[in-house]
Structure formats: structure tokens, C-alpha cells
Amino acid sequence: MKISLSETAQLLKSKDNILLLAHKHPDGDTLGSSYALCRALTGQGKKANVICDDEIPKVLRFLANGVEPLLFEPEFIIAIDTADIKMLGDKLRTLYASKINLCIDHHISNTLYAEKTMLDDTAAATAEIIFRLLKEMRTDITPSIADCLYTGVSTDTGCFRYSNITSETLRIAAELIDLGADYARLNKELFETKSKSFAALERAALNSIEIHFGGLCAVLAVTKEMFLQSGSNDEEFDRISALPRQIEDVLVGAAIREQKNGTYKVSVRTNPPMNAAEICAGLGGGGHVNAAGCTLEGTLDEAKEKLLKAIEAALISEKKLIVG
Amino acid sequence: MKISLSETAQLLKSKDNILLLAHKHPDGDTLGSSYALCRALTGQGKKANVICDDEIPKVLRFLANGVEPLLFEPEFIIAIDTADIKMLGDKLRTLYASKINLCIDHHISNTLYAEKTMLDDTAAATAEIIFRLLKEMRTDITPSIADCLYTGVSTDTGCFRYSNITSETLRIAAELIDLGADYARLNKELFETKSKSFAALERAALNSIEIHFGGLCAVLAVTKEMFLQSGSNDEEFDRISALPRQIEDVLVGAAIREQKNGTYKVSVRTNPPMNAAEICAGLGGGGHVNAAGCTLEGTLDEAKEKLLKAIEAALISEKKLIVG
């Protein structure tokens, strides 16, 4: 059942011993939103706690600073920024799947698995919803809470760069700054710092970029060895996948990554009029218009050839490439 | 003489045949601000024009779309976002140096060379001042003007990432979005697209990065040949200079560029507590605490060695590096 913001505020007022669940592979929004709400609830004298299936990334650990991990029997369980029960991860799902009282989320794809759901898919980040919720609850937004919410809003929007932002996103960020969010430090740590592993992976990936079809297509390829040597992780590879499409005039950017089992995971990103989902569908995959994926087998050269043929056909069919 | 925003608005009301001067090596703020004001003035039936010593970068040409280059004898000349008369470039300086009636700027270093100066050094961009000025003048802010101002504000703040922003910056950007600024397209073109020359220079520069002193220092070096091969330019090299300091744990990042005359231009960027100006002062250069520069002679290896010695000494003196 979907509920409104004010119903959510009312509901939370009547509850105590609240457990907040962040999604697996946690990002700035699920953690920032969870810790903001946790701080607000404990600030009102309630018991609250945040848990997550995966370890908190180093750069986001400050969100939990000073939050005591309380022990209590949870009476009310809230999933934060989690569109699907699968996103909780195996451990949390096994423990809580049938017991989730509330979900607060901004993903249009939310499967409404919780007893009640506060969904606002116009919000660029769940942290925007939590901000409005705390105002509705007349909670004091301390500088620490402002830091958490600013982290959520800024990380889910690439620091206000993505097309998901609205003027409301910027106004909320402005208010968070006025409430004491340490935005200069946060921006530097979150957006101006590269981990050593990311720097190593980026260097290897950029070196592997090949340009095809007169500059309309750029493809990078990362082998198991390159990935292992860099010490990088999935989240960092996701960011690497965006690099080929960033090059001027490129309509189709692709990132190929060799998996542990020797197959190749391919991520395709396109600029209009090219359709990433169509290109990947022809290769047994799928996704969105601008970002899609598929898995290919064989040697790296074979995988690359299959992919390039599909991209070539798509460019020809869009009349971006002339045959002959 | 410094004048206020409302005095500036009054002054502009009484003037016609207005020539706007953007600074040399024009960026999004000088051009966005100039074209926004030009459009507003012509929208009021006045004659106005923007000129600049250098060509407008390709990615910023849309700012001038639909602005007719009018021919008229200028009666009132305004320098926009130009802190020093030297920044106008040789041609404009020769023509107009003694005739500049007004300067609108946000640089604290403004030398007050104009007859009158509207200076607000708390603004993150001159476009913020122009936005307030147009409101003061009760000018209609059309979507094209909003695009120009959004470009100014976003480019001077790294898309709202730099520490120069305030909550006011974000509120102005929010209002510009509501007024029709095509922010999704602008963000993509301005911040998610790399020119081919930038991509080539970045690749070469990242490959040249050396890590020193246990990860506290990262240095890149670009030779004349590398620079020439990439087809890149000074503005792009400036952005490259920021890369070494972005790596996790690096306190001193440096970028060495071989000049046409064979000397080496060095750009040093630091994180606290390291002081870039002090490091460069010891090498005959200077600058700010976080960003400074100097010029070194000899071979590349000799230049690098001189630089590394100065950095090592600074790290030791800050007790970040232990001798022995």
C-alpha cells in the first residue's frame, strides 16, 4: 500500500525500536538517507539502527560517525532506497523479507514489496524524500544530518550533473548548506578524489580504448588480469563503463569486462539516436535506451567482433554509417 | 569607483550602443555573462554586441546563437568577468584600454581599472551578478538568457562542485532551471563530454604519472611531442594539471609541461597541510596555498629532480615524511 509523506511522518511518530535497512552494494543515497533518518529518530529519544549486507565503502564511513550500534528487538523495519527485496542482499532478505513494515524510495521500479511504501519517483534521491519527511516531522536537522542528506542528494545526481535533478533538488541542497552541511569537504572527498584502485583501473581502461567507425564508436576492454592488478571493484568498474561514450562525437560507447568464468560482460552506453537496449537485445541482453548490457563468450577478440558487428548494423540502420 | 547593483541597473537604463568585452581565453562565465546581458539589452530595444580577443571554444558557441553581430559606434563599454585590463588580450586592450566605462566582475583581484566597477567577490560566478542585475532591471529572463547564465554559473563552479559555491549559487541555478535553462543538455555537453584532443592528452598524461614518497606525491609530465600529438590546448592542459592531486592520499600533485622554448612549466596543487606557494617560491615561482607554479630549465629528468627535491623538503618540514 502506498502512503503519503504526512502518513509516513505520523506512522514514525508512533513507532520505536526501528531498524533501517540499506541496500546491498551500498551507495551514498541509501546510507546517507538511512543514517539521516536514524540520527533524527535517536535524536527524538527513540532506539534506531542501520544495517546493511555489505561493508560500508571507506569514503562513506563518516556517515556513521558517532552513531552507536544499539542492540534491541526491532519492532518496526524500514527498507531505505531499496526498489526490490533482492536488493537487500541474501542475509537481510533471509532475516527480514516478510517483515518489512515500510519502504521509503524514489525508484519508479519499486516492486511495492513492503507492507507500506512511501514512493516519490520525481525525487532525484531518496535523501530528498527524507529531507521533506524530517521537515514534516518537525525534526531538528543538525549539521550531521545535513551532511548525510547532502551526501545522498549529491551522490545520486553526480554532484547535480545528471538529468534526474530538478530545481527542487538544488533548493534542498541549498537549504542543507544553510543547515550546516560541510559541502566543500564532502564534494572534495566524494567527487574530487580517486581511490588508487580506481586510478589504476582508469589508466588501464583508457589505454585499451579503441575507436571505430570513423569516431562514432569507442570500446574499452578490461581483462581479468587488468582488473585484479588494479585491485578495483564492481562499483568502480561501473564508473569506468561511462568513459567511452564521453568522447566527443561518440554515439555508442562500450565497456567489455572479462568475468571470473572467462565470459565477457558488456556494458553499452549510447547517445541519441542510438538505442543501447536494441543493440544488446540482438546479443541476448537488454536494458534501457541509453544504457544496456549483455554477456558474450569466446575469446576477447571474438567477443569484440560480435559486439562491433551489432554496433555497425545499428549505426547503418540509423543511417549514421553508410555501407560500401 | 565601485558602484552598487542598483546603480549599475540605473546606469544601464540610460545607455545605448553598448559594447560588451569578454576576457581572452574566454570561458563559460565571461561568455555566458556577456551574452546574457547582450540578449537582455537588445531585448529592451538597445543596440549591444559582445566581442572577444580569442575565438569562442566550440562547446560554447551556442551562447551566441541568434545574436546578430550589430555594427554601431560604441557609446558605453563594459568589461565582463575581467579582473585586469591585461586579461582583455592585446587587440581589445589597444582599442579600449582607456575607454572602459564599467566592469562587472566577481574576482577579488579586480584592479578597478574601469571608470566604474560593480564587484561582488562573494559571487561564485559573474553570471550570478548578471542574474541579480537583470532582476534589478526587471528584464524578462528568457530561456536563452537562462541558458547563458546557467552556463556561467555551472562552468565557474565545476558544476556546483567547487568550494566557491554558496547556497545562493544553488538557488540561482534552481531559478534558472525554472526559467527554462536546458540544464540536462548543458550539463551533458559541458561536463560529460571530452574533446578528442582532451581524451588523447589525458591518456598520455595519466600514463606519465609517477608516484613518489610512499604515495604522498604524484607527478605527471607532458612533452612538446605529446602535447602536439594530442592536438590539445592550454585550457585543456589546465584541467589535466588537477589530475595528480585527485589520487587518494596524495598531498602534492604536480604537472610538468615542456614549453615551446624547451623550458618546463610546472603546476603544483596541494592538499592541506602542504603549501603549493611555498614549494614553488623555493623554485622561483609563486601562487596560492593550494595551487602555484614555477618554470624550470634543463632536461626533463633534471627538472623533475629539482621539483621532487623541493617537494621532499616540504614533506619533511611538515613531518609527513621522516628522513633516514
Side-chain angles (χ1 to χ4, degrees):
Chain A
M1 187 178 67
K2 285 194 192 179
I3 62 171
S4 70
L5 195 72
S6 60
E7 285 166 334
T8 309
Q10 282 304 319
L11 191 61
L12 287 181
K13 263 189 195 163
S14 68
K15 301 297 177 188
D16 201 349
N17 298 316
I18 299 166
L19 187 62
L20 301 165
L21 311 181
H23 65 66
K24 68 178 177 182
H25 305 313
D27 59 17
D29 194 24
T30 195
L31 291 171
S33 296
S34 297
Y35 279 105
L37 185 54
C38 181
R39 287 170 191 274
L41 293 168
T42 53
Q44 296 186 331
K46 296 179 193 285
K47 281 187 181 159
N49 222 354
V50 178
I51 56 173
C52 180
D53 239 23
D54 294 312
E55 208 188 347
I56 299 183
K58 194 171 150 196
V59 70
L60 294 172
R61 281 188 203 146
F62 73 93
L63 294 168
N65 278 355
V67 176
E68 292 293 323
L70 296 175
L71 272 180
F72 56 82
E73 187 63 39
E75 287 170 18
F76 194 74
I77 299 174
I78 313 179
I80 302 283
D81 191 47
T82 305
D84 189 303
I85 193 88
K86 287 182 211 150
M87 286 296 299
L88 284 179
D90 290 341
K91 270 177 285 175
L92 292 192
R93 198 165 39 133
T94 308
L95 282 169
Y96 302 112
S98 61
K99 299 177 189 165
I100 296 170
N101 304 103
L102 176 65
C103 174
I104 304 176
D105 190 21
H106 74 122
H107 294 97
I108 196 167
S109 56
N110 191 292
T111 61
L112 304 180
Y113 58 86
E115 208 178 295
K116 290 174 178 167
T117 302
M118 162 61 226
L119 182 69
D120 179 359
D121 59 40
T122 69
T126 295
E128 274 192 43
I129 308 173
I130 302 290
F131 174 80
R132 287 197 286 263
L133 179 64
L134 298 190
K135 294 204 116 187
E136 183 78 27
M137 291 166 72
R138 294 173 202 285
T139 316
D140 188 28
I141 297 182
T142 63
S144 310
I145 293 176
D147 277 350
C148 291
L149 293 175
Y150 183 88
T151 299
V153 173
S154 63
T155 54
D156 248 29
T157 60
C159 205
F160 314 109
R161 248 200 295 186
Y162 302 159
S163 58
N164 63 345
I165 70 151
T166 63
S167 54
E168 178 70 6
T169 312
L170 294 177
R171 287 199 178 90
I172 288 174
E175 214 169 323
L176 291 170
I177 288 174
D178 289 339
L179 287 163
D182 193 1
Y183 65 100
R185 181 182 59 81
L186 292 171
N187 287 353
K188 188 165 195 321
E189 284 174 15
L190 297 169
F191 306 106
E192 292 281 328
T193 306
K194 286 178 189 173
S195 72
K196 283 172 198 153
S197 57
F198 181 85
L201 184 66
E202 183 190 35
R203 182 166 163 165
L206 289 179
N207 278 325
S208 79
I209 286 188
E210 291 174 7
I211 305 288
H212 295 276
F213 312 128
L216 297 176
C217 169
V219 179
L220 66 77
V222 171
T223 63
K224 277 194 283 198
E225 288 71 30
M226 283 157 72
F227 191 74
L228 215 63
Q229 262 183 8
S230 70
S232 195
N233 56 45
D234 292 351
E235 184 273 323
E236 290 183 347
F237 188 82
D238 274 356
R239 284 192 281 147
I240 294 286
S241 305
L243 300 178
R245 188 184 54 183
Q246 286 180 355
I247 300 170
E248 186 185 12
D249 299 337
V250 165
L251 293 178
V252 184
I256 304 177
R257 179 177 155 197
E258 188 184 6
Q259 309 275 95
K260 279 182 198 150
N261 68 5
T263 64
Y264 295 91
K265 203 174 156 187
V266 179
S267 157
V268 174
R269 313 271 179 117
T270 53
N271 282 324
M274 303 311 297
N275 186 323
E278 277 179 16
I279 293 168
C280 290
L283 298 166
H288 304 278
V289 176
N290 299 326
C294 61
T295 301
L296 295 174
E297 293 179 1
T299 66
L300 177 56
D301 280 345
E302 286 164 358
K304 212 182 270 178
E305 205 189 315
K306 256 185 248 175
L307 175 65
L308 287 172
K309 275 200 177 149
I311 293 171
E312 186 179 30
L315 287 167
I316 289 170
S317 120
E318 281 293 344
K319 301 197 172 55
K320 291 293 165 187
L321 203 63
I322 284 103
V323 208
Chain B
M1 187 178 67
K2 286 195 193 179
I3 61 172
S4 70
L5 195 71
S6 60
E7 285 166 335
T8 308
Q10 282 305 320
L11 190 61
L12 287 180
K13 263 188 197 163
S14 68
K15 301 297 176 187
D16 200 350
N17 298 316
I18 298 166
L19 187 63
L20 302 165
L21 312 181
H23 64 67
K24 67 179 177 180
H25 306 312
D27 58 17
D29 195 24
T30 194
L31 291 171
S33 296
S34 296
Y35 278 105
L37 185 54
C38 180
R39 287 169 192 273
L41 293 167
T42 53
Q44 296 185 332
K46 296 179 191 285
K47 282 188 181 157
N49 222 353
V50 178
I51 56 174
C52 180
D53 239 22
D54 293 312
E55 208 189 346
I56 300 183
K58 194 171 151 196
V59 71
L60 294 172
R61 281 188 203 146
F62 72 93
L63 294 168
N65 278 355
V67 176
E68 293 292 324
L70 297 174
L71 272 180
F72 55 83
E73 186 63 39
E75 287 170 18
F76 195 73
I77 299 174
I78 313 179
I80 303 284
D81 191 47
T82 305
D84 190 302
I85 194 87
K86 286 182 212 151
M87 285 296 299
L88 284 179
D90 289 342
K91 271 177 284 175
L92 292 192
R93 199 166 36 133
T94 308
L95 282 168
Y96 301 113
S98 61
K99 298 176 191 166
I100 296 171
N101 304 103
L102 176 64
C103 174
I104 304 177
D105 190 21
H106 74 123
H107 294 96
I108 196 167
S109 56
N110 192 292
T111 60
L112 303 180
Y113 57 87
E115 209 176 294
K116 290 174 179 170
T117 303
M118 162 62 226
L119 181 70
D120 179 358
D121 59 41
T122 69
T126 294
E128 274 192 42
I129 308 173
I130 303 291
F131 173 80
R132 287 197 288 264
L133 179 63
L134 298 191
K135 294 204 116 188
E136 183 78 25
M137 291 165 72
R138 296 174 201 283
T139 315
D140 189 27
I141 298 182
T142 63
S144 310
I145 293 177
D147 276 351
C148 291
L149 293 175
Y150 183 88
T151 299
V153 173
S154 63
T155 54
D156 249 29
T157 60
C159 204
F160 314 109
R161 250 201 293 185
Y162 302 159
S163 58
N164 63 345
I165 70 151
T166 63
S167 54
E168 178 69 4
T169 312
L170 294 178
R171 287 199 178 91
I172 289 174
E175 214 169 323
L176 291 170
I177 288 175
D178 289 339
L179 288 163
D182 192 1
Y183 65 100
R185 181 182 61 80
L186 293 171
N187 287 353
K188 187 164 194 324
E189 284 174 15
L190 298 168
F191 305 107
E192 293 280 328
T193 307
K194 285 178 190 174
S195 71
K196 284 171 198 153
S197 57
F198 181 85
L201 184 65
E202 184 189 35
R203 183 166 163 165
L206 289 179
N207 278 326
S208 79
I209 286 189
E210 291 174 7
I211 304 289
H212 295 275
F213 311 129
L216 297 176
C217 169
V219 179
L220 66 77
V222 171
T223 63
K224 276 193 284 198
E225 287 72 29
M226 284 156 72
F227 191 74
L228 216 62
Q229 263 184 7
S230 71
S232 194
N233 56 46
D234 291 351
E235 184 272 324
E236 290 183 346
F237 188 82
D238 273 356
R239 285 191 281 147
I240 293 287
S241 305
L243 299 179
R245 189 185 53 184
Q246 285 180 355
I247 300 170
E248 186 186 11
D249 299 337
V250 164
L251 293 178
V252 184
I256 304 177
R257 179 175 156 199
E258 189 184 5
Q259 308 278 93
K260 279 182 197 149
N261 68 5
T263 64
Y264 296 91
K265 204 174 155 185
V266 179
S267 157
V268 174
R269 313 272 179 118
T270 52
N271 282 323
M274 302 310 297
N275 186 324
E278 278 180 15
I279 293 169
C280 289
L283 299 166
H288 304 279
V289 175
N290 298 326
C294 62
T295 302
L296 296 174
E297 294 179 1
T299 65
L300 177 56
D301 281 344
E302 286 164 359
K304 213 182 271 180
E305 205 189 315
K306 255 185 248 174
L307 175 65
L308 287 172
K309 275 200 176 145
I311 293 171
E312 186 180 31
L315 287 167
I316 290 169
S317 117
E318 280 293 343
K319 299 198 172 55
K320 292 292 166 188
L321 203 65
I322 284 104
V323 207

